[in-house]
Amino acid sequence: MEGFPLTHLTVLERIRAGDPAVRLGAFSDLAEGYWRPSYHYLRRQWRLSPEQAEDMVQGFFTVAFEKGYLEKFDPAKARFRTFLRTCLDRYLQNQRKADTAVKRGGAVDIRSLDFPGAERELALVSADVQDPDRFFRDETIRALFARTVTDMREAYAREGKPRIFAAFERHDLADREDGEARTYASVAAALGVPVTTLTNDLHAARRRFRELALVPLRNLVGSDEEFRAEARELFGVEVDLDLKNEI
Amino acid sequence: MFLSNAIVGHLRDVATWPDLADGRYTDVRPLGSGGMGRVFAALDEPLGREVAIKISHAPVLGSDLDARLRQEARVLAQLEHPGIVPVHDLGLLGDGRVFYVMKLVRGQTLAQSQPPATESAALSVFERVADAVAFAHAHEVIHLDLKPSNIMTGAFGEVLVMDWGVAKILSSPISTSAPSELRRTSLSSPAPKVAGTPGFMAPEQAAGGAVGPASDVYALGALLFWLLRGDGPPRRLPRRLRAIITMCLVTDPAHRYPDASAVVADLARYRAGDAVHALPETVVDRAVRFGAKHITIIVLIAAYLVMRALVALWR
């Protein structure tokens, strides 16, 4: 059995690519995966105001792109996520020392990011940042999963299988802190399907969730090894990267 | 879309759950995780019973995890013994991971529970373990990872030897080729690797050398010592019992007990108050052991003789 085949280069390899278009695409993928965790991190850990945090996130990804901060990543020293957070910390400290306004906009298109939405979510994010690395990791996973759920909804709608997503939404995305137990029987009754149909749909949806999440996950790590480790930790799966060079 | 911590945690959990979509096994719940895979509890619907399902961590290209799990199931299926968990089913999940279904054992591992409070209780547990291992040795199977966390004790006194994932079949009486219902056909016996747990692993096993039943004997000796030591201050063990442990733990496997049945037999001799093979006796040793074994009769005879002497003096 092969693992989940993924056929493109790591995001770091793309960042280091000679082709400017490839490099820009890699930075956009990185920004998409990390802007929200970065914003929440700056708000919670550094207690920046919403405006300061927004400026800092935009400035960081723009300057990182222009000055090649992230190309210096060494997989032997840390995970890419940790490296990126450390770069963000350093950027913030440099900005404070220089007391200069951060540069907004630029080549990396991050102007359309939903900062007001991220700010609304902040109320639901832990206020206690005891371990910055762990906080950043948890927020990265939260953002990854949220994006995957959105991708899943679109994919099932496109394929004409909204029932599968409805089962997933009712059973696995229902807020589990509201005290109401969601049994297979109660969700099946609510959807008007037999329990066996529901459990089959849930199996299919969870497998799809895992497969879809691996695609953006690949854009958040710095090496094949790190990708394998993250996939193993998150989903208990081993990924097959042998097809990598086929593109 | 915002996902709460609870939803993220739930998604992380269910994303790794097995795809048992054929409907036989339902109500799947995670039980634990080990080096080779995760174990889930589930309901076997047609038979209406709770079972445990062990699933390999993942299909790793070039890894022997699948082969090891499959071999573990097939080894267990051949070893029908009250001290070895029975296997009911073996198969492949939709995503390619190997799984097998076994009896759900409710209980704790020795590592999770309080050590036995008395020598007698410790020896009772140990004898059950050694019996199961002796049965495996008689079927040419060696466990190679005996340790407290691989021994399960149940609420009704059951003692089961678990986790046969690194077990080795000495003369391959059990086929390790994939059964016809499994897709893969390129299975071969896993290559020897250093697998086991330091402290319980025989020196020859740790060094990656040839292993045999005597390698399990070493682990049994370490386990017996662990059981007798308990949590409190070190107990002063009788010489013959210490000798049994020492003989299990000899560095050279040729000087250990040859297999677990020899350990069981010597321990039975110790329990009966007889001489043990692990300790050559001097005349004094034999007299002391004889005295200890027949203390009641000796005391009665001595009391009788003293009484006779007192009566004679009084007359």
Side-chain angles (χ1 to χ4, degrees):
Chain A
M1 164 70 194
E2 296 78 22
F4 296 100
L6 290 149
T7 58
H8 59 78
L9 304 170
T10 66
V11 74
L12 199 70
E13 287 168 328
R14 289 161 58 212
I15 284 177
R16 289 169 175 162
D19 184 341
V22 172
R23 188 166 179 268
L24 183 58
F27 255 91
S28 296
D29 286 341
L30 264 181
E32 184 174 354
Y34 280 114
W35 77 266
R36 194 181 297 262
S38 300
Y39 179 82
H40 288 160
Y41 174 73
L42 292 170
R43 290 279 287 123
R44 283 285 185 247
Q45 171 71 3
W46 291 95
R47 304 195 180 282
L48 301 188
S49 71
E51 295 73 26
Q52 287 173 322
E54 183 178 337
D55 283 350
M56 205 60 70
V57 168
Q58 297 196 60
F60 171 69
F61 283 107
T62 302
V63 173
F65 175 77
E66 289 171 356
K67 301 204 171 173
Y69 282 175
L70 303 178
E71 279 89 327
K72 294 167 189 159
F73 171 68
D74 179 357
K77 290 183 179 168
R79 290 202 177 190
F80 184 74
R81 182 180 56 241
T82 302
F83 174 73
L84 185 138
R85 185 184 59 78
T86 310
C87 288
L88 180 61
D89 285 344
R90 203 168 295 147
Y91 174 76
L92 174 70
Q93 287 159 343
N94 288 341
Q95 286 296 316
R96 283 182 165 174
K97 269 187 211 161
D99 195 23
T100 55
V102 293
K103 191 176 176 181
R104 302 182 64 133
V108 185
D109 183 15
I110 49 177
R111 285 162 296 181
S112 59
L113 301 182
D114 179 21
F115 283 105
E119 182 60 23
R120 283 193 299 277
E121 293 168 3
L122 193 66
L124 301 164
V125 171
S126 171
D128 188 13
V129 188
Q130 287 185 337
D131 180 345
D133 208 44
R134 185 175 180 148
F135 178 90
F136 197 69
R137 173 180 185 269
D138 290 348
E139 288 309 302
T140 304
I141 292 171
R142 193 197 308 279
L144 170 71
F145 280 15
R147 178 192 163 169
T148 303
V149 168
T150 303
D151 290 348
M152 244 178 109
R153 186 199 307 271
E154 289 170 1
Y156 278 128
R158 205 168 44 242
E159 293 162 11
K161 298 174 181 172
R163 189 193 73 204
I164 297 179
F165 187 80
F168 183 67
E169 189 169 35
R170 287 254 187 173
H171 192 274
D172 287 343
L173 299 182
D175 200 330
R176 315 191 85 75
E177 285 165 346
D178 63 5
E180 184 192 341
R182 278 174 179 76
T183 62
Y184 289 143
S186 69
V187 174
L191 292 172
V193 295
V195 170
T196 50
T197 302
L198 173 75
T199 53
N200 286 343
D201 285 351
L202 281 174
H203 286 309
R206 288 164 182 172
R207 184 164 49 221
R208 190 71 180 272
F209 176 82
R210 191 167 58 210
E211 290 168 0
L212 286 175
L214 288 173
V215 178
L217 177 65
R218 184 132 170 86
N219 292 327
L220 302 177
V221 296
S223 67
D224 287 347
E225 261 323 294
E226 193 179 336
F227 181 51
R228 283 195 180 93
E230 292 278 354
R232 201 179 300 128
E233 284 174 28
L234 276 177
F235 305 117
V237 299
E238 294 290 335
V239 288
D240 174 14
L241 299 171
D242 274 19
L243 301 175
K244 174 177 124 172
N245 295 323
E246 290 186 2
I247 60 167
Chain B
M1 158 165 238
F2 183 81
L3 302 176
S4 69
N5 289 340
I7 293 174
V8 171
H10 174 74
L11 287 176
R12 287 190 64 177
D13 203 17
V14 297
T16 62
W17 286 14
D19 298 324
L20 294 161
D22 69 356
R24 170 163 188 161
Y25 303 106
T26 61
D27 195 16
V28 179
R29 292 144 283 149
L31 278 181
S33 186
M36 279 169 54
R38 291 184 76 186
V39 182
F40 297 84
L43 177 67
D44 181 350
E45 287 253 7
L47 295 174
R49 65 177 176 183
E50 293 276 300
V51 293
I53 303 179
K54 187 167 184 178
I55 297 166
S56 60
H57 270 316
V60 188
L61 207 64
S63 151
D64 65 352
L65 267 187
D66 282 352
R68 281 170 56 190
L69 200 78
R70 188 181 289 121
Q71 168 153 314
E72 180 179 37
R74 293 178 65 75
V75 164
L76 285 172
Q78 302 297 318
L79 298 178
E80 285 189 46
H81 184 275
I84 299 171
V85 66
V87 165
H88 306 316
D89 193 9
L90 168 67
L92 279 177
L93 298 176
D95 62 11
R97 287 180 287 174
V98 172
F99 75 94
Y100 71 81
V101 183
M102 59 184 154
K103 176 184 175 181
L104 177 62
V105 181
R106 298 182 192 282
Q108 290 183 308
T109 69
L110 284 180
Q112 292 167 328
S113 53
Q114 291 289 323
T118 64
E119 178 190 306
S120 177
L123 293 182
S124 293
V125 171
F126 178 79
E127 281 168 347
R128 309 276 288 276
V129 175
D131 267 339
V133 178
F135 181 82
H137 287 179
H139 288 76
E140 308 264 297
V141 174
I142 49 177
H143 186 283
L144 295 179
D145 198 15
L146 295 167
K147 57 184 175 181
S149 59
N150 281 343
I151 310 297
M152 184 76 93
T153 56
F156 299 101
E158 313 97 298
V159 177
L160 289 131
V161 180
M162 312 290 287
D163 207 341
W164 295 73
V166 295
K168 190 174 167 66
I169 304 162
L170 294 174
S171 57
S172 297
I174 302 167
S175 167
T176 56
S177 62
S180 57
E181 72 272 19
L182 298 178
R183 288 203 299 269
R184 282 195 186 178
T185 55
S186 60
L187 186 66
S188 58
S189 294
K193 283 184 178 173
V194 177
T197 303
F200 292 87
M201 198 194 306
E204 69 275 12
Q205 189 181 347
V211 291
S215 307
D216 278 346
V217 167
Y218 184 96
L220 285 172
L223 184 68
L224 179 55
F225 181 72
W226 185 91
L227 282 163
L228 289 165
R229 192 187 58 186
D231 266 350
R235 293 176 193 159
R236 181 160 178 76
L237 300 176
R239 275 184 72 205
R240 287 176 305 135
L241 193 50
R242 268 187 287 150
I244 290 174
I245 295 172
T246 304
M247 187 158 169
C248 290
L249 297 175
V250 174
T251 303
D252 182 353
H255 294 122
R256 289 180 211 140
Y257 294 103
D259 56 27
S261 65
V263 182
V264 171
D266 224 15
L267 200 64
R269 285 184 208 102
Y270 167 76
R271 295 268 256 176
D274 294 333
V276 296
H277 288 171
L279 183 68
E281 288 187 324
T282 62
V283 175
V284 175
D285 287 332
R286 195 170 303 159
V288 169
R289 182 172 56 75
F290 183 85
K293 184 175 179 180
H294 302 292
I295 187 72
T296 311
I297 293 169
I298 290 169
V299 168
L300 284 174
I301 291 171
Y304 172 74
L305 292 175
V306 168
M307 225 165 61
R308 286 283 303 269
L310 289 173
V311 169
L313 285 174
W314 184 69
R315 282 180 178 167

